[in-house]
């Protein structure tokens, strides 16, 4: 007999090559250096180009060209049952100064199936990005968490590094804990994708 874990959540990650990451740095340096491209869309928790008029000035199409091989690599491990393609919906940049955070949220909508985060500038062993297990409270309230050592976590913290791309189902709750470094800004790109069947 054995314990079988079912309905697991997942994410896909891949680190860009040094050359690819350097290309992204060059593409976005001017945009990221201009504070006029950012606003406080979430009550001042961080600065973001999300829904900012200037967000369209960022080189998102060129970024998509750089990450195109990663998008292709993503599909086969998911074992598609038919031909599918990723359809970009929107992308934006986030900057975190000391103590800034992003609250727990999801990205899903009828046209958004997959979300992405690109860790453009993070410290070594960054632990700020976290997934939330919404079923944990029910599991814990039942008393099972205190009685059995069965895999079940309220929070999951992926190991990330600078230059890493991460894709995950858009319905997965996630958040960013307070940025605790005062000597540099933590910078990430976020994106949403639809997944559509193709012949």
């Amino acid at each position: 007999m054995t314990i079988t874990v079912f309905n697991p959540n997942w994410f896909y990650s891949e680190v860009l090559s040094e050359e690819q990451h350097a290309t992204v740095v060059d593409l976005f340096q001017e945009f990221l250096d201009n504070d006029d491209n950012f606003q406080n869309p979430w009550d001042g928790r961080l600065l973001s180009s999300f829904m900012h008029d200037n967000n369209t000035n960022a080189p998102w199409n060129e970024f998509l060209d750089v990450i195109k091989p990663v998008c292709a690599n993503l599909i086969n491990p998911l074992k598609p049952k038919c031909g599918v393609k990723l359809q970009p919906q929107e992308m934006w940049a986030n900057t975190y100064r000391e103590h800034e955070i992003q609250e727990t949220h999801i990205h899903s909508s009828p046209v958004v199936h997959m979300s992405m985060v690109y860790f453009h500038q993070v410290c070594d062993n960054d632990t700020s990005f976290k997934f939330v297990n919404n079923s944990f409270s029910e599991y814990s309230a039942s008393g099972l968490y205190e009685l059995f050592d069965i895999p079940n976590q309220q929070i999951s913290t992926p190991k990330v590094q600078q230059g890493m791309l991460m894709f995950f189902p858009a319905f997965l709750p996630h958040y960013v804990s307070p940025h605790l470094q005062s000597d540099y800004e933590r910078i990430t790109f976020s994106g949403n994708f639809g997944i559509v069947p193709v012949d």
Side-chain angles (χ1 to χ4, degrees):
M1 305 297 273
T2 185
I3 296 293
T4 302
V5 178
F6 59 94
N7 288 343
N9 290 322
W10 59 268
F11 64 88
Y12 176 88
S13 63
E14 187 172 331
V15 179
L16 296 186
S17 69
E18 290 184 11
E19 180 180 356
Q20 289 171 317
H21 180 64
T23 298
V24 175
V25 170
D26 289 343
L27 283 170
F28 280 87
Q29 195 65 57
E30 183 177 350
F31 181 84
L32 294 172
D33 284 344
N34 187 350
D35 287 344
D36 290 339
N37 294 326
F38 295 87
Q39 60 186 355
N40 292 299
W42 299 290
D43 298 326
R45 295 183 183 94
L46 72 155
L47 292 176
S48 179
S49 66
F50 182 73
M51 297 191 70
H52 193 293
D53 290 342
N54 292 346
N55 188 55
T56 56
N57 296 334
W60 295 119
N61 288 332
E62 292 84 348
F63 176 70
L64 285 168
D65 287 339
V66 174
I67 69 169
K68 188 178 292 185
V70 178
C71 294
N73 292 343
L74 162 69
I75 299 300
N76 282 340
L78 297 179
K79 302 179 180 178
K81 297 178 180 179
C82 64
V84 298
K85 70 173 182 178
L86 290 178
Q87 196 166 61
Q89 299 295 319
E90 56 192 342
M91 294 189 172
W92 62 95
N94 306 301
T95 67
Y96 299 84
R97 296 169 182 168
E98 189 175 17
H99 305 307
E100 292 185 333
I101 66 168
Q102 175 72 71
E103 78 284 356
T104 301
H105 63 287
I106 62 171
H107 291 208
S108 60
S109 78
V111 296
V112 173
H113 309 111
M114 190 88 68
S115 291
M116 176 219 77
V117 59
Y118 177 63
F119 297 93
H120 182 73
Q121 182 172 288
V122 297
C123 64
D124 293 339
N125 302 312
D126 179 88
T127 58
S128 298
F129 183 89
K130 301 176 188 297
F131 289 111
V132 178
N133 176 4
N134 274 347
S135 67
F136 181 84
S137 59
E138 290 85 359
Y139 183 77
S140 179
S142 73
L144 292 174
Y145 182 74
E146 301 299 327
L147 297 172
F148 297 107
D149 188 16
I150 299 173
N152 196 294
Q153 295 175 301
Q154 183 175 14
I155 303 298
S156 179
T157 304
K159 294 181 179 179
V160 305
Q161 65 185 84
Q162 190 159 284
M164 176 182 283
L165 271 168
M166 181 187 296
F167 288 86
F168 54 91
F171 60 79
L172 287 184
H174 55 285
Y175 72 96
V176 177
S177 61
H179 178 55
L180 300 179
Q181 306 293 325
S182 60
D183 56 341
Y184 79 100
E185 291 183 356
R186 181 182 187 273
I187 302 173
T188 61
F189 300 165
S190 295
N192 290 326
F193 295 78
I195 303 178
V196 296
V198 294
D199 294 334

